[in-house]
Amino acid sequence: TRFSSELTCDVKGQPYQYHAIESADYTQNLAGPLVPSAPETFDRNIVLWDIVKYSTKDPEDQADLSHSLALCATNALNLFGATRTDYSPAGDGGFAVFDSGAKALAFSKTLREHVTSKDITIRTGIYQGEVAFTKRGPVGPSVLRADAMSAQAPPNGIAILIDVWDTLDKIAKADWQTTKIAQDIFSLEPRSEPPPRPITVPPMPP
C-alpha cells in the first residue's frame, strides 16, 4: 500500500492534513470508510447439495442430520483438496466449486457414498457459471442456479447441466445413467451393476 504526499483540506473552518491511500484495492473518501474493489469473477463448476425432505423432520432430527452431513461434506472436500474459499455451508446443505466438470462429478459421487453410509438422503445439482470469491465463500447468481437444479434431482441422484456432462470423458460417464429432465439438464443415477452370470456345473460322469 502506498500513501500520497501530504494533502490539506478544511474541516469546520480549520486546516486538516492527511495522506490518501494509493492502492488498486482500495479508494479513500473523507466522507466514508475504505471501500474494497469489486471481487474478480471466475468460471467454475458449482456443486450444491441439500437433504431431501429436510423441512418435514423434527428439530432434533434436523440438527443431527445437518451435523452428520457437515462431517461427510468436510471429509469429501478434504479428499479433493478444497480450501476454505472453495465452499460454503448453505441452509440444510452446502456448495463447493471446482475447476472442471470431472472433479465436480467425482466429488458428488464421493459425497453421495459418504452420506449413504450414514443413512442420509441428499440431492445434488451441478452447474457451470461465474462465481466471485469472498471471505464468506463463493457467491453469485450461478450458485442460485445450482440450487434450483438440485431441487430437480432424484433422491440420492444428481441434476447436471448438459453442457457440463458433454465435457466429460467416457470413464467419468461410465458410472451413471442419464434421464433428460429439462432442455439443458440431465438427471444422473448410479448405473446398476449387471447381475452375475450363473455358473453351470456339468454333472459328474456315471
Side-chain angles (χ1 to χ4, degrees):
T1 300
R2 294 180 302 145
F3 296 89
S4 71
S5 57
E6 188 174 271
L7 302 173
T8 304
C9 66
D10 287 334
V11 179
K12 294 183 179 181
Q14 298 295 322
Y16 175 78
Q17 285 77 37
Y18 69 96
H19 294 272
I21 296 176
E22 296 178 342
S23 168
D25 297 325
Y26 294 93
T27 59
Q28 187 178 45
N29 187 321
L30 292 177
L34 296 179
V35 179
S37 60
E40 190 175 358
T41 59
F42 299 87
D43 192 64
R44 291 290 187 268
N45 293 267
I46 305 111
V47 179
L48 187 144
W49 60 92
D50 58 19
I51 299 171
V52 174
K53 295 183 178 180
Y54 179 79
S55 61
T56 65
K57 314 292 184 184
D58 64 56
E60 188 172 328
D61 287 340
Q62 288 180 344
D64 290 342
L65 285 169
S66 295
H67 179 68
S68 295
L69 177 57
L71 292 177
C72 291
T74 298
N75 290 336
L77 288 163
N78 287 340
L79 290 174
F80 284 79
T83 66
R84 182 63 189 85
T85 58
D86 293 329
Y87 67 95
S88 177
D92 57 319
F95 62 92
V97 297
F98 300 89
D99 57 10
S100 72
K103 283 184 181 178
L105 184 57
F107 167 78
S108 301
K109 180 182 178 182
T110 299
L111 178 61
R112 179 186 176 278
E113 292 169 350
H114 279 63
V115 300
T116 300
S117 69
K118 301 295 184 182
D119 293 325
I120 303 172
T121 304
I122 64 171
R123 55 190 180 183
T124 305
I126 301 177
Y127 186 81
Q128 184 181 32
E130 289 189 342
V131 296
F133 291 88
T134 68
K135 288 183 179 180
R136 60 189 179 91
V139 297
S142 296
V143 176
L144 300 178
R145 295 190 182 104
D147 186 23
M149 287 182 61
S150 73
Q152 302 183 58
N156 281 333
I158 299 169
I160 187 171
L161 195 68
I162 291 178
D163 286 348
V164 176
W165 178 257
D166 288 342
T167 67
L168 306 178
D169 59 27
K170 291 183 179 180
I171 296 175
K173 294 178 177 179
D175 295 332
W176 305 95
Q177 56 188 16
T178 63
T179 303
K180 194 171 186 179
I181 56 176
Q183 185 64 30
D184 57 348
I185 301 174
F186 276 151
S187 169
L188 304 184
E189 295 185 84
R191 191 180 299 277
S192 56
E193 295 289 335
R197 297 179 60 182
I199 300 175
T200 303
V201 179
M204 295 291 292

